[in-house]
Amino acid sequence: MTRSIVSATAVVGLAIGTLAGAGTSFAAAEPAVSAEAFGTLATHNFGLTGTQAKNVQRWLAPRYDYTGDNDGLLGTQSWKAMQRYLAAHWRYTDPIDGIPGSDTIKALQKFLRESFDYTGPIDGIAGPGTRAAFARFADSHG
């Protein structure tokens, strides 16, 4: 994630002029370009392999409007589609923002408990049990 933020800052700096001439005031300023302009900056596969993540993306595409690439990287668009699924079936009520925060993980854990042998707490932490159940879900859709 740090590398992505640094890369985004570098692109913004180059667009303004040069990084060498930007000065310290530029370094403290917020980037004027949104993360969406650069595509997915952060992925959250939660332990899934690329193949497993592709399975999830294929499952999401026709059902929950996943229109991104089937690239095996669960980024913003993948998680927006997953949040739409969780909102429709598992009481996810936060914004559909593509950020898999604790409420997204709680809803995912409820889903995984129902059908994919998740036995841990509904705590919003994607720990080993959540990751293993998420892998079982992904494998079942390969």
Side-chain angles (χ1 to χ4, degrees), residues 46 48 105-106 108-109 112 116 118-136:
F46 296 119
L48 297 185
I105 302 305
K106 284 178 185 176
L108 180 64
Q109 288 169 329
L112 295 171
F116 295 95
Y118 175 67
T119 59
I122 306 298
D123 60 4
I125 299 170
T130 303
R131 291 170 182 250
F134 196 32
R136 285 190 290 277

Side-chain angles (χ1 to χ4, degrees), residues 35 43 53 56 62 65-66 77 83 89 98-99 104 110 112 123 132:
T43 59
V56 172
D65 298 325
Y66 175 66
Q77 296 307 315
Q83 287 169 332
H89 302 285
I99 300 169
T104 302
K110 290 174 189 172
L112 295 171
D123 60 4

Side-chain angles (χ1 to χ4, degrees), residues 76-112:
T76 303
Q77 296 307 315
S78 300
W79 282 105
K80 281 183 179 180
M82 181 61 78
Q83 287 169 332
R84 284 190 285 274
Y85 166 73
L86 296 170
H89 302 285
W90 297 99
R91 298 186 194 131
Y92 174 75
T93 58
D94 278 5
I96 306 297
D97 59 7
I99 300 169
S102 63
D103 287 337
T104 302
I105 302 305
K106 284 178 185 176
L108 180 64
Q109 288 169 329
K110 290 174 189 172
F111 162 61
L112 295 171

Side-chain angles (χ1 to χ4, degrees), residues 13 22 28 30 32 39-40 44 46 58 64 101 104:
E30 298 246 349
T40 302
H44 301 281
F46 296 119
R58 274 193 300 272
Y64 297 98
T104 302

